[in-house]
Amino acid sequence: MKFATEYLWFDTDRPREYINITDDVARVVRQSGILEGMVLVSAMHITAGVYVNDAEPGIIRDIDEWADSIAPQGPDYHHHRTGETNGDAHLKSLLVHHQVVVPITKGDLDLGPWQQVYYAEFDGQRRKRLVVKAMGE
Amino acid sequence: MKFATEYLWFDTDRPREYINITDDVARVVRQSGILEGMVLVSAMHITAGVYVNDAEPGIIRDIDEWADSIAPQGPDYHHHRTGETNGDAHLKSLLVHHQVVVPITKGDLDLGPWQQVYYAEFDGQRRKRLVVKAMGE
Amino acid sequence: MKFATEYLWFDTDRPREYINITDDVARVVRQSGILEGMVLVSAMHITAGVYVNDAEPGIIRDIDEWADSIAPQGPDYHHHRTGETNGDAHLKSLLVHHQVVVPITKGDLDLGPWQQVYYAEFDGQRRKRLVVKAMGE
């Protein structure tokens, strides 16, 4: 049985940003030598998400505006009594989910033609990370 | 270590449809001979979802109406500048998530009494697929 | 290859409750002797969720109020024609998702500093359970 664990770091220019990490995940899998298995891609912060969707710039803007309409930035979160200002980012993380599992088949990511793995930063401009964990044979 | 990979294909009559695939997933697991492990069920399109919930027809209608109220069909998506018309389906996919992992215990799906695995088609009437990947011993 | 399967039971005082189960999940992993792998934490009911987020009481209240604004308790669900009254709880389960996978690295949960695993009860005051399934080596 083989395992690979790698941490990807991000420090975005903007508070909210969407970064295509498909190639990074594919590289971890290829370097692991795993031919059959699964790879977990999981944010290690509670104000970020990981999702699978399209690389088309319009849909990325739609996702951003949609997430901000469902979980709007604003002052009125109980969480802000701690001095924090990122209550919305916690809810956005729950909305899109913080992780995906990608199947590994014949040594590569078994994704559909338009599926790309995205890191969704909802409270950026500081160093944050996610874990890529592959497991198989 | 054992693996099984199978692709399920769909071509729905309606644009949005909810298909109970529990028996298909259970069949893949039984045929694999895996007694302990996990099975990943993951849509391979970015306009479909996979979720675990109830087979009761009323709740399926509730889920459909709810998803369409949270991510409504309509003309006003940036994504539509590409000529596409399915922006809502991308967001619905994020809302319900595109995948689940079901534990395998004693050779069968380890689900609660009311849990059923559903394929949620949000942009149908064409051939689409999902991957079932089981892994264990 | 090693496996561990454990069921956690809940019987909450209130209809909606958020229970930190990180220590329970970590205990299952440590007792399993698994050093590298993954652990699935998955609700076995269709009116409960499992998510990873912060233990800060304010954000838990925000999550509760947010979930109830996105999928409000109320009489107007088709599901209620069956005599049920918990349509909202099904939708809340879909919203926050019913499961997470936590990577296991060096024998312990590989979580970020603020990440805690939560059981989200959306229709409580009765006995319900979730499954913790660890797998690895």
Side-chain angles (χ1 to χ4, degrees):
Chain A
M1 207 169 169
K2 286 176 177 165
F3 300 93
T5 309
E6 198 166 308
Y7 304 91
L8 303 181
W9 289 89
F10 305 91
D11 192 346
T12 61
D13 289 334
R14 284 164 290 159
R16 295 207 302 271
E17 215 160 292
Y18 304 86
I19 299 164
N20 190 334
I21 57 172
T22 317
D23 289 347
D24 296 292
V25 178
R27 181 184 46 76
V28 173
V29 167
R30 282 190 213 112
Q31 289 175 351
S32 74
I34 293 170
L35 298 178
E36 293 291 319
M38 295 180 193
V39 56
L40 172 69
V41 187
S42 192
M44 299 187 78
H45 292 258
I46 51 194
T47 52
V50 173
Y51 68 80
V52 165
N53 215 283
D54 202 342
E56 195 276 307
I59 199 69
I60 294 172
R61 226 175 123 188
D62 289 322
I63 290 168
D64 182 66
E65 294 177 6
W66 176 69
D68 202 49
S69 75
I70 303 293
Q73 220 181 339
D76 297 331
Y77 290 102
H78 301 295
H79 183 48
H80 294 181
R81 293 181 194 165
T82 63
E84 288 285 358
T85 57
N86 59 4
D88 69 298
H90 290 260
L91 303 182
K92 288 177 172 97
S93 165
L94 290 177
L95 178 64
V96 308
H97 208 46
H98 76 290
Q99 61 181 194
V100 299
V101 178
V102 182
I104 304 168
T105 304
K106 295 176 188 164
D108 215 340
L109 305 183
D110 199 350
L111 290 168
W114 301 100
Q115 287 188 307
Q116 300 285 304
V117 185
Y118 269 82
Y119 173 71
E121 177 60 82
F122 296 124
D123 183 30
Q125 298 175 314
R126 56 200 176 96
R127 249 168 93 71
K128 293 168 76 169
R129 64 176 179 152
L130 64 71
V131 55
V132 181
K133 182 116 200 170
M135 165 172 169
E137 216 168 57
Chain B
M1 208 170 168
K2 287 176 176 165
F3 300 93
T5 310
E6 198 166 308
Y7 304 92
L8 304 181
W9 290 88
F10 305 91
D11 192 346
T12 61
D13 290 332
R14 285 164 290 159
R16 295 206 303 271
E17 214 159 293
Y18 304 86
I19 299 165
N20 191 334
I21 56 172
T22 316
D23 289 347
D24 296 292
V25 178
R27 180 183 47 76
V28 172
V29 167
R30 282 189 213 113
Q31 289 175 350
S32 75
I34 294 170
L35 298 178
E36 293 292 319
M38 295 180 194
V39 56
L40 172 68
V41 186
S42 192
M44 299 189 78
H45 292 259
I46 53 194
T47 52
V50 173
Y51 67 81
V52 165
N53 215 283
D54 201 342
E56 194 277 306
I59 198 70
I60 293 173
R61 226 175 122 187
D62 289 322
I63 290 168
D64 182 66
E65 294 177 5
W66 177 69
D68 201 49
S69 75
I70 303 292
Q73 221 182 339
D76 297 333
Y77 290 102
H78 301 295
H79 183 48
H80 294 180
R81 294 180 194 167
T82 62
E84 289 285 357
T85 57
N86 60 5
D88 68 298
H90 290 261
L91 303 182
K92 287 178 173 95
S93 165
L94 290 177
L95 178 64
V96 307
H97 208 45
H98 75 291
Q99 62 182 193
V100 299
V101 178
V102 182
I104 302 168
T105 304
K106 295 177 188 162
D108 216 338
L109 305 183
D110 199 350
L111 291 168
W114 300 100
Q115 288 188 308
Q116 299 285 304
V117 185
Y118 269 82
Y119 173 72
E121 178 60 81
F122 296 125
D123 182 30
Q125 298 176 313
R126 54 200 178 95
R127 248 168 94 71
K128 293 169 77 170
R129 63 178 179 151
L130 64 70
V131 55
V132 180
K133 183 118 200 170
M135 166 173 170
E137 217 168 56
Chain C
M1 206 170 170
K2 286 175 176 166
F3 299 93
T5 309
E6 198 166 308
Y7 304 92
L8 304 181
W9 289 89
F10 305 91
D11 192 347
T12 62
D13 289 335
R14 285 164 291 159
R16 295 206 304 270
E17 213 160 295
Y18 304 86
I19 300 165
N20 191 334
I21 56 171
T22 317
D23 288 347
D24 296 292
V25 179
R27 181 184 46 76
V28 172
V29 167
R30 282 190 213 112
Q31 290 175 350
S32 74
I34 294 170
L35 297 178
E36 293 292 319
M38 296 180 192
V39 56
L40 172 68
V41 186
S42 192
M44 300 188 79
H45 292 257
I46 51 194
T47 52
V50 173
Y51 67 81
V52 165
N53 214 284
D54 201 343
E56 195 276 307
I59 199 70
I60 294 172
R61 225 175 122 188
D62 288 321
I63 290 168
D64 182 66
E65 294 177 5
W66 177 69
D68 201 50
S69 74
I70 302 293
Q73 221 182 338
D76 297 332
Y77 290 103
H78 301 295
H79 184 49
H80 294 179
R81 294 179 193 167
T82 62
E84 288 286 357
T85 58
N86 60 4
D88 68 298
H90 289 260
L91 303 182
K92 287 177 173 97
S93 164
L94 290 178
L95 178 65
V96 308
H97 207 46
H98 75 291
Q99 61 182 194
V100 300
V101 179
V102 182
I104 304 168
T105 304
K106 294 176 188 163
D108 215 340
L109 305 183
D110 198 350
L111 290 168
W114 301 99
Q115 288 188 307
Q116 300 286 304
V117 185
Y118 269 83
Y119 173 72
E121 178 59 82
F122 296 124
D123 183 30
Q125 298 175 314
R126 55 202 176 94
R127 248 168 94 71
K128 294 170 75 171
R129 63 178 179 151
L130 64 73
V131 55
V132 180
K133 182 117 198 169
M135 166 172 169
E137 216 168 58

